[in-house]
Amino acid sequence: MKSFNFKSATNTKEATKLATGRATFLAGGMSLLPAMKLRLAAYSELINIKKIKSLSGIKVSSKSLKIGATTTHAEVSSSKEVGKSIPSLAILADGIGDPQVRNRGTIGGSIANNDPAADYPSACLALNATIHTSKRKVPVDKFFKGMFETDLKKGELIEAIEFDVPEKSGYAKFPNPASRYAIVGVYVAKFKNEARVAITGAGSSVFRSKELEAALSNNFSTSAVDSANISSKGLNSDMHASADYRAHIIKVMAKKAVSSC
Ligand SMILES: Cc1cc2nc3c(=O)[nH]c(=O)nc-3n(C[C@H](O)[C@H](O)[C@H](O)COP(=O)(O)OP(=O)(O)OC[C@H]3O[C@@H](n4cnc5c(N)ncnc54)[C@H](O)[C@@H]3O)c2cc1C
């Protein structure tokens, strides 16, 4: 790891003001610090945002659930409000990594990082989230741009993620047994007029499945998943799973997610 300066911001204005040049935000450090240690990333300044009180916490209303960016995975998984309004989100958070990762890692860090196998991006896409940043509100369909890439601009801070509350929803993942990252993860959400389905781990970035959305919008059931045709074209093929195997697992996980609703 190269040497760097460490600064703690106490409010969002200070954090964004400090984030110039070769500076970056530090939340839980669960992705950023390993990347720096492996020399995959280098920064001259790390701006700690964990001391900014307004960035943490959970607010619920009848239509939406808003989670502050520095809220940890452990806080989401143990939150009564999340468990009551979107239980599948608490289940997702409880399945991230191990207890150490869940106690340090944050929801904002996870979606800013946009690892292709991360869990939260699938929840954001399926639950039609709005990403509140220091500059604007970004609809989720415009937020995830590609592998480790988002619509965030230099120095733009995620402040909160606001999820639409669905009628019902479920998440199922086939985890890598070592890291718990998703080899394939499927998040399904049923809203009044449509079903949204997001898949993580299977492609270069999280994506919505038009085939599963059409099938489940028509009939939200496991038999509808059976009728969907999932192509392996463009899916990841690596030492963990071939593209054909991932296509198969997408249907298995989609059925599991629907059954869990
Ligand atoms: C062993 C291990 C296992 C893991 N398993 C899983 C898993 O099963 N599923 C899963 O989804 N993830 C997993 N993770 C990743 C974990 O969820 C991380 O917490 C997460 O990816 C990053 O969150 P963080 O708060 O640690 O962010 P950091 O590492 O601090 O930051 C990551 C990136 O996001 C930027 N950033 C952070 N916060 C903000 C913000 N508010 N606004 C703008 N940019 C910001 C940082 O500048 C940096 O570029 C694992 C990690 C480890 C080490």
Side-chain angles (χ1 to χ4, degrees):
M1 193 182 297
K2 283 178 81 177
S3 65
F4 55 84
N5 294 319
F6 179 84
K7 292 179 182 163
S8 264
T10 51
N11 57 59
T12 53
K13 214 172 168 186
E14 188 187 1
T16 50
K17 213 172 159 194
L18 288 169
T20 54
R22 293 191 54 75
T24 198
F25 301 121
L26 174 70
M30 292 291 97
S31 295
L32 181 63
L33 297 183
M36 289 178 74
K37 262 189 123 170
L38 292 167
R39 293 176 184 264
L40 296 170
Y43 297 97
S44 57
E45 320 253 318
L46 295 191
I47 317 300
N48 177 26
I49 57 169
K50 291 277 277 185
K51 292 203 166 139
I52 305 175
K53 290 205 176 89
S54 63
L55 290 183
S56 177
I58 295 166
K59 280 189 200 141
V60 70
S61 73
S62 59
K63 287 196 173 155
S64 76
L65 173 72
K66 197 169 175 186
I67 304 183
T70 61
T71 309
T72 63
H73 311 327
E75 285 164 340
V76 173
S77 74
S78 63
S79 157
K80 284 199 182 113
E81 291 96 334
V82 178
K84 223 170 153 190
S85 100
I86 314 183
S88 55
L89 199 57
I91 291 167
L92 174 150
D94 195 43
I96 295 176
D98 49 40
Q100 288 88 341
V101 170
R102 292 196 288 276
N103 278 294
R104 291 290 314 168
T106 68
I107 186 168
S110 175
I111 70 162
N113 197 46
N114 193 22
D115 188 300
D119 297 291
Y120 271 126
S122 67
C124 292
L125 261 191
L127 296 169
N128 197 25
T130 303
I131 319 302
H132 295 243
T133 79
S134 48
K135 293 192 174 141
R136 60 204 166 119
K137 291 181 189 174
V138 190
V140 72
D141 285 321
K142 294 195 170 148
F143 185 77
F144 298 112
K145 293 289 188 194
M147 188 184 281
F148 294 107
E149 196 190 338
T150 69
D151 197 44
L152 287 173
K153 308 287 182 284
K154 176 79 196 151
E156 187 171 7
L157 181 71
I158 299 173
E159 297 186 342
I161 297 98
E162 187 168 11
F163 299 94
D164 287 354
V165 175
E167 287 177 1
K168 47 187 176 177
S169 62
Y171 179 65
K173 85 165 154 176
F174 187 64
N176 178 313
S179 69
R180 316 310 291 170
Y181 273 105
I183 290 175
V184 169
V186 180
Y187 206 114
V188 299
K190 182 183 182 309
F191 293 94
K192 195 170 171 214
N193 297 319
E194 63 165 353
R196 289 176 66 107
V197 181
I199 298 172
T200 187
S204 57
S205 177
V206 66
F207 63 94
R208 287 173 65 186
S209 166
K210 295 274 169 288
E211 295 77 12
L212 286 170
E213 289 188 350
L216 290 172
S217 293
N218 193 31
N219 170 18
F220 197 82
S221 69
T222 52
S223 57
V225 173
D226 274 329
S227 70
N229 182 24
I230 304 295
S231 164
S232 61
K233 204 169 163 216
L235 297 186
N236 294 341
S237 204
D238 54 29
M239 64 187 285
H240 303 298
S242 67
D244 284 344
Y245 186 62
R246 277 190 163 90
H248 171 70
I249 294 294
I250 285 173
K251 278 180 98 161
V252 177
M253 290 302 115
K255 278 163 85 170
K256 223 176 148 186
V258 170
S259 311
S260 74
C261 288

